[in-house]
Amino acid sequence: MQILTQLVFSGIALGMIYAVIAFGYQLTFATSDTLNFGQGESLMLGALVGLSLVGWGVNYWLMIPLVCLFGALQGAVVERIGVRPAIKMKSEFGWIMSTIALGIIFKNVAENVWGRDDLKFPSPLPEAPMKVLGANVLPMEVLVVVGAVGMMLAVELFNRKSIYGKAVVATFNDRDAAKLMGINTGLVITFSYALSSLTAAFAGVLIAPLTLTGATMGAVLGLKAFAVAIIGGLTSGMGIIVGGIILGVAETTTGFYLSTGYKDVPGLVLLLIVLAVKPAGLFGKTAIKKV
């Protein structure tokens, strides 16, 4: 039971990282019906920029807002260069290839700036595990869960309470109606991409002390987060959290009880089942369009 409890705790921490990245997918899909398939690279750049700042003597806690600002700027650049032209031309697939291409470019830039080797990110918290319900839990794992939940709650509170957040919600509900009401929907879409990459960069500096940091770290995390977004539902914040936890726990338990070579299988099997049975996701709502 102690081993199982420890695997569950580790899976929850991993799943919350998936959920934060998937939350970024939800933000862009809500305002523009597009997704940033370079979201994993936003996480990777956030982790590497954070590593450089810490190496230059910047305190970890002061580094986080700087990385978030960098992530927001990077996301805005992706929207301006890769997404906006495709939306203007009403291209159904242009934004897909553009965001993938930009992700590859960011990965190549990272390899040339930071190298191809994985690097160790110093932990801001003690590395000695704590005892929780008989299981060993790293303080950094607790920070990952608290930070991930805090980030998603902050964005949700922003959307509900601020005038700018209400503009995002209005664009989500009906983009054409929001435009007629005087809302600059183009700026809202840019903002959603900036916020999406900000959350990914934030996730990067959260998970970096628990793993190795390198130019290739974002590809798998971004892909798994996309699976979480599909499993939970691209229109449901609660679905993304539940989907992240399910996938994270499934990976840690499968990796221990079966083999690490099979730890990716449960998530992919669940993804196939959800797509076959409920394509909108476990908590998603199916949109009905009149033609």
Side-chain angles (χ1 to χ4, degrees), residues 202-255:
F202 177 72
V205 295
L206 280 184
I207 198 175
L210 292 173
T211 183
L212 294 174
T213 305
T216 59
M217 68 179 292
V220 175
L221 288 171
L223 181 61
K224 291 182 179 180
F226 180 67
V228 166
I230 298 301
I231 292 170
L234 276 167
T235 59
S236 172
M238 179 58 68
I240 282 177
I241 293 175
V242 173
I245 293 175
I246 290 173
L247 183 58
V249 173
E251 284 190 4
T252 54
T253 53
T254 301

Side-chain angles (χ1 to χ4, degrees), residues 167-240:
V168 173
V169 174
T171 304
F172 163 66
N173 289 328
D174 193 321
R175 195 191 315 169
D176 293 331
K179 188 179 295 184
L180 291 173
M181 293 298 293
I183 295 175
N184 187 339
T185 55
L187 186 60
V188 169
I189 293 173
T190 302
F191 175 77
S192 70
Y193 264 82
L195 194 57
S196 170
S197 293
L198 182 153
T199 59
F202 177 72
V205 295
L206 280 184
I207 198 175
L210 292 173
T211 183
L212 294 174
T213 305
T216 59
M217 68 179 292
V220 175
L221 288 171
L223 181 61
K224 291 182 179 180
F226 180 67
V228 166
I230 298 301
I231 292 170
L234 276 167
T235 59
S236 172
M238 179 58 68
I240 282 177

Side-chain angles (χ1 to χ4, degrees), residues 1-285:
M1 283 302 297
Q2 288 183 348
I3 293 175
L4 179 60
T5 304
Q6 188 162 339
L7 291 172
V8 169
F9 282 142
S10 298
I12 291 173
L14 179 62
M16 291 309 298
I17 288 295
Y18 292 156
V20 172
I21 307 171
F23 187 60
Y25 286 122
Q26 186 189 62
L27 289 170
T28 59
F29 184 77
T31 56
S32 63
D33 291 330
T34 62
L35 300 169
N36 179 12
F37 285 104
Q39 188 79 339
E41 279 63 40
S42 297
L43 176 143
M44 173 269 295
L45 286 175
L48 287 173
V49 169
L51 179 62
S52 294
L53 291 173
V54 170
W56 295 335
V58 179
N59 180 273
Y60 179 87
W61 310 107
L62 295 177
M63 170 271 296
I64 291 177
L66 296 177
V67 167
C68 288
L69 178 60
F70 169 83
L73 293 174
Q74 187 252 343
V77 168
V78 169
E79 192 277 334
R80 290 282 182 168
I81 295 177
V83 179
R84 180 166 297 195
I87 292 178
K88 285 184 176 180
M89 293 186 296
K90 297 183 178 180
S91 171
E92 294 185 9
F93 304 106
W95 56 270
I96 297 176
M97 297 309 302
S98 295
T99 55
I100 291 174
L102 287 170
I104 294 172
I105 291 172
F106 290 140
K107 176 178 174 290
N108 289 338
V109 169
E111 288 177 340
N112 283 281
V113 174
W114 286 278
R116 295 175 179 267
D117 296 331
D118 291 329
L119 306 170
K120 175 64 177 174
F121 197 115
S123 175
L125 299 177
E127 297 188 5
M130 306 180 297
K131 282 288 185 181
V132 179
L133 299 177
N136 294 322
V137 179
L138 294 174
M140 200 64 208
E141 291 179 332
V142 178
L143 178 62
V144 164
V145 175
V146 173
V149 173
M151 169 61 75
M152 288 186 281
L153 286 177
V155 173
E156 188 66 23
L157 186 64
F158 172 82
N159 286 339
R160 291 179 180 273
K161 298 298 183 181
S162 72
I163 188 171
Y164 301 105
K166 290 177 180 178
V168 173
V169 174
T171 304
F172 163 66
N173 289 328
D174 193 321
R175 195 191 315 169
D176 293 331
K179 188 179 295 184
L180 291 173
M181 293 298 293
I183 295 175
N184 187 339
T185 55
L187 186 60
V188 169
I189 293 173
T190 302
F191 175 77
S192 70
Y193 264 82
L195 194 57
S196 170
S197 293
L198 182 153
T199 59
F202 177 72
V205 295
L206 280 184
I207 198 175
L210 292 173
T211 183
L212 294 174
T213 305
T216 59
M217 68 179 292
V220 175
L221 288 171
L223 181 61
K224 291 182 179 180
F226 180 67
V228 166
I230 298 301
I231 292 170
L234 276 167
T235 59
S236 172
M238 179 58 68
I240 282 177
I241 293 175
V242 173
I245 293 175
I246 290 173
L247 183 58
V249 173
E251 284 190 4
T252 54
T253 53
T254 301
F256 180 82
Y257 289 112
L258 293 181
S259 168
T260 55
Y262 290 103
K263 68 183 180 66
D264 296 329
V265 173
L268 296 175
V269 171
L270 179 59
L271 174 63
L272 293 174
I273 294 173
V274 170
L275 287 175
V277 177
K278 202 172 186 298
L282 296 177
F283 293 81
K285 297 179 180 179

